[in-house]
Amino acid sequence: IFAAIGRTQLKRFPGEFAPKRVALAQRYRDRLADIRGILLLETKLGAIVPHIQPIRVQNGLRDELRAELESRNIQTGIHYMPNHLLSLYGGGQIHLPTTDQLYKELLSLPLHPGLEIDDVDAVCDVIKKFIDTRE
C-alpha cells in the first residue's frame, strides 16, 4: 500500500512538489541572507531540490534558537549525526573539531509542500527577532 501511495506521489514531484520546495528554500535564503550569525549552505536550487532546510546558527545559539522556535510551535530538527559519533564508528573516540563544530551549529527549519511563503516569513521573523535581541 505504501509503495502504491509513493508511486502516485512521485508523479506529483516534478510539477508540484519540486517547484514548491525550491521556492520555499529560495525564500529562506532571501530572508536569512543578511542575519548575522545565520549561515546557509550553498547549493544550486533547481538542480537540487532540498528535502530539508538546514541553517548554521553560530555563536553557540542553536539550542536557544531551537527552543524559541519550538515555543512558537515551529518544529525544527537536528539531522545527520556525524559518523564518527555513532557507536558503530567508535562513538566519538576520534576527534574531528571542524565536523564537531558544524554539528553543534546545524538546525533544520520546516520545509515541506504544505508550507506557504507566509509560513517561511513567520519562521524568519522569529529568527531575526531572536538574533537581534542577542546582539
Side-chain angles (χ1 to χ4, degrees):
I1 292 175
F2 290 126
I5 293 170
R7 288 185 66 178
T8 300
Q9 295 291 65
L10 279 174
K11 293 175 187 172
R12 297 173 63 190
F13 185 76
E16 184 181 346
F17 295 148
K20 181 84 180 256
R21 285 179 175 273
V22 168
L24 294 169
Q26 185 61 56
R27 184 60 168 207
Y28 273 122
R29 288 174 184 213
D30 294 343
R31 290 291 314 277
L32 298 174
D34 296 327
I35 299 177
R36 184 187 324 257
I38 301 294
L39 301 174
L40 294 144
L41 305 180
E42 293 183 30
T43 57
K44 293 181 180 183
L45 291 176
I48 303 280
V49 178
H51 74 287
I52 60 173
Q53 180 57 58
I55 61 171
R56 287 180 56 196
V57 184
Q58 297 183 310
N59 304 317
L61 295 173
R62 182 200 61 190
D63 293 340
E64 285 182 59
L65 175 58
R66 185 176 195 205
E68 178 66 22
L69 289 164
E70 300 223 353
S71 77
R72 297 172 183 270
N73 296 317
I74 299 169
Q75 293 187 347
T76 62
I78 299 174
H79 289 88
Y80 309 125
M81 180 181 287
N83 284 345
H84 75 285
L85 298 178
L86 299 172
S87 60
L88 182 63
Y89 300 104
Q93 293 177 13
I94 298 170
H95 186 59
L96 301 174
T98 302
T99 302
D100 292 338
Q101 183 61 38
L102 284 171
Y103 183 60
K104 291 176 186 175
E105 295 177 349
L106 288 174
L107 181 67
S108 297
L109 301 176
L111 182 69
H112 56 82
L115 289 177
E116 299 297 333
I117 294 293
D118 289 345
D119 299 319
V120 171
D121 286 341
V123 172
C124 293
D125 289 344
V126 172
I127 293 170
K128 180 167 179 20
K129 184 176 179 181
F130 174 85
I131 294 296
D132 286 348
T133 63
R134 299 306 187 275
E135 293 185 335

